[in-house]
Amino acid sequence: MRMRATTAKIYIENFRHNLAAVRSRISRTARMCVAVKADAYGHGAVRCAREAVGCGADVLAVATVDEGVQLREAGIDVPVLVLSLCQPEEMDSLVRCDLTPLVFDAEYIACVAGACRRSGKTDFHVHLAVDTGMGRIGCAPDDAPVLAEAIANSGVLALGGMCTHFAVADSLADDDVSYTRMQFDRFLRAAEAVRRAGIHPGICHCANSAATLLYPDMHLDMCRPGIIVYGYYPGSLSEECCRASGCRFSLLPVMALVTKVAAVRRVSAGTSVSYGRTWTASAETDIAVLPVGYGDGMLRRLNENGALDVYIDGRPYPVRGRICMDQCLVELGSDSGVQRWSEAVVFGPKNSGAARSAQDVADEIGTIPYEVTCGISKRVPRVFVE
Ligand SMILES: *Cc1c(COP(=O)(O)O)cnc(C)c1O
């Protein structure tokens, strides 16, 4: 058991709420593949993967072979998709752990087939990725049939599915909606061409969180939600615009960044605090020392304009001066009653006592909640709250 005052509390109840809401959004006949890459967006991959499977995830998605191996070593045995490309030296682990790779060119297909032959595996499922407009990985739609044949003729591989990934499904601007529809059409045509070549395309999937919420007609055989199960809307979407598309639920943020007051110090008027002396007390006040800083993922930029609050006993108190690597300082005023060891929350869902979630933090500094929760560093223990 790791012990530290600063923890990322993971509200399992909120996570289950989101999973159930998303599951109910997807038709019964379609699968739900929950993205648990990047340590479940910073929430703790193994525990989140188990909860996801318990709440109806049929498949899990990771980015790397290492992440997939971690799930297998924890005894998780549902299909696991590896969304990013792996190196030749990772192929043997990929095959041994029965992780499902995305493939999209002949060289890579041969590489996976080679690993299967070395380990004596046959009928090893791969998914063919089609680039319909993301410009990242995937084959040209016209090349899909030839590659499907290469898979089918390899002797050891089987086409388990076909997929594509949307670039702007999280935007409701007219141009972006047309672009998403164009990507979807290209994908359908590629899958159809594979079928016409006499090969079953397997599980067809393209919907990330945004498309899961906004485009039920694009769910096909499986959805791949990520950010929404952790409680945040993708891109510029909000609860209101999703409601307009028929989603009758709200998402609950899952992670809180929590710490405990390490000391309360009385300072007199004219005292400056922290590096650079960017803030000076104008009157006598108590300063709380919090053992959390940018080394934990509490970005220095967050208090650049001096407007960041933390919540102690549900009340906001301003962070003063620069955030340090391991500590930051909070002004309590002269009679707050805040005691040493009191809990302080930087961000979190309402049930954590914070009035600011990772979404609000992201909005304040011009990023996305994905980056905020993934950025909570490894020295912060994840504590799962039932
Ligand atoms: C990360 C990822 C997802 C999930 O994206 P969200 O926006 O978090 O829903 C789905 N598909 C692929 C290929 C991804 O890389």
Side-chain angles (χ1 to χ4, degrees):
M1 176 73 181
R2 293 174 62 197
M3 237 188 288
R4 231 201 118 191
T6 301
T7 60
K9 281 196 184 170
I10 307 302
Y11 288 83
I12 292 293
E13 198 186 314
N14 295 14
F15 189 49
R16 290 191 189 130
H17 164 92
N18 300 332
L19 286 161
V22 174
R23 182 61 265 191
S24 71
R25 178 76 183 149
I26 304 170
S27 94
R28 255 174 225 285
T29 54
R31 293 174 172 81
M32 176 165 80
C33 167
V34 171
V36 294
K37 59 194 184 185
D39 201 27
Y41 294 40
H43 294 67
V46 168
R47 180 62 191 270
C48 288
R50 283 207 185 99
E51 292 295 336
V53 171
C55 292
D58 308 282
V59 178
L60 298 166
V62 297
T64 68
V65 173
D66 270 354
E67 290 176 348
V69 170
Q70 187 194 17
L71 298 181
R72 291 292 184 243
E73 283 175 350
I76 293 164
D77 57 8
V78 299
V80 172
L81 275 182
V82 180
L83 300 173
S84 298
L85 300 182
C86 37
Q87 298 293 313
E89 55 272 25
E90 297 174 298
M91 295 279 179
D92 289 325
S93 305
L94 173 102
V95 169
R96 182 170 19 88
C97 290
D98 261 315
L99 307 173
T100 308
L102 304 191
V103 301
F104 66 91
D105 63 64
E107 182 183 35
Y108 199 81
I109 290 168
C111 209
V112 180
C116 290
R117 281 188 206 102
R118 282 195 295 279
S119 68
K121 288 225 178 166
T122 54
D123 198 34
F124 186 78
H125 283 215
V126 300
H127 287 208
L128 179 61
V130 184
D131 182 9
T132 57
M134 174 68 181
R136 191 170 66 180
I137 63 171
C139 65
D142 288 345
D143 294 342
V146 170
L147 292 164
E149 273 160 15
I151 293 164
N153 297 336
S154 67
V156 286
L157 304 178
L159 183 61
M162 284 182 65
C163 60
T164 195
H165 193 47
F166 294 131
V168 285
D170 58 0
S171 160
L172 287 168
D174 289 349
D175 281 2
D176 293 334
V177 171
S178 332
Y179 194 84
T180 302
R181 294 236 165 258
M182 180 276 293
Q183 283 199 269
F184 185 60
D185 287 347
R186 283 183 177 169
F187 180 57
L188 289 185
R189 275 189 276 116
E192 189 46 42
V194 167
R195 222 174 260 121
R196 273 203 311 274
I199 299 166
H200 190 267
I203 300 165
C204 289
H205 52 107
C206 58
N208 56 4
S209 289
T212 301
L213 293 176
L214 297 181
Y215 298 100
D217 61 312
M218 298 185 189
H219 289 183
L220 302 178
D221 305 318
M222 182 163 86
C223 292
R224 303 188 307 262
I227 196 70
I228 52 178
V229 302
Y230 305 102
Y232 311 99
Y233 292 89
S236 56
L237 303 184
S238 63
E239 187 173 331
E240 295 69 45
C241 66
C242 292
R243 225 163 255 280
S245 307
C247 295
R248 306 254 161 268
F249 53 81
S250 19
L251 300 172
L252 302 175
V254 174
M255 181 193 285
L257 179 60
V258 174
T259 187
K260 285 183 181 153
V261 174
V264 176
R265 302 177 63 237
R266 174 69 48 113
V267 303
S268 52
T271 307
S272 64
V273 305
S274 196
Y275 291 120
R277 305 188 60 209
T278 57
W279 183 83
T280 301
S282 55
E284 189 176 77
T285 183
D286 286 338
I287 295 286
V289 182
L290 301 185
V292 61
Y294 63 79
D296 301 299
M298 183 180 181
L299 302 175
R300 209 164 163 274
R301 254 190 312 153
L302 273 173
N303 203 37
E304 231 162 39
N305 59 7
L308 181 69
D309 289 328
V310 300
Y311 300 87
I312 306 177
D313 300 324
R315 299 216 329 253
Y317 295 94
V319 174
R320 295 305 191 192
R322 290 200 178 131
I323 294 170
C324 310
M325 185 186 290
D326 316 303
Q327 305 182 73
C328 68
L329 303 162
V330 168
E331 183 181 10
L332 299 174
S334 49
D335 60 342
S336 66
V338 169
Q339 303 280 321
R340 185 179 228 173
W341 324 133
S342 297
E343 191 172 270
V345 189
V346 181
F347 64 79
K350 292 208 175 66
N351 39 349
S352 71
R356 179 203 305 108
S357 71
Q359 177 74 64
D360 304 307
V361 169
D363 291 345
E364 281 161 29
I365 58 172
T367 184
I368 52 176
Y370 303 67
E371 197 180 19
V372 173
T373 62
C374 285
I376 301 307
S377 71
K378 290 303 157 234
R379 83 169 176 191
V380 178
R382 271 58 178 173
V383 174
F384 299 92
V385 185
E386 288 283 347

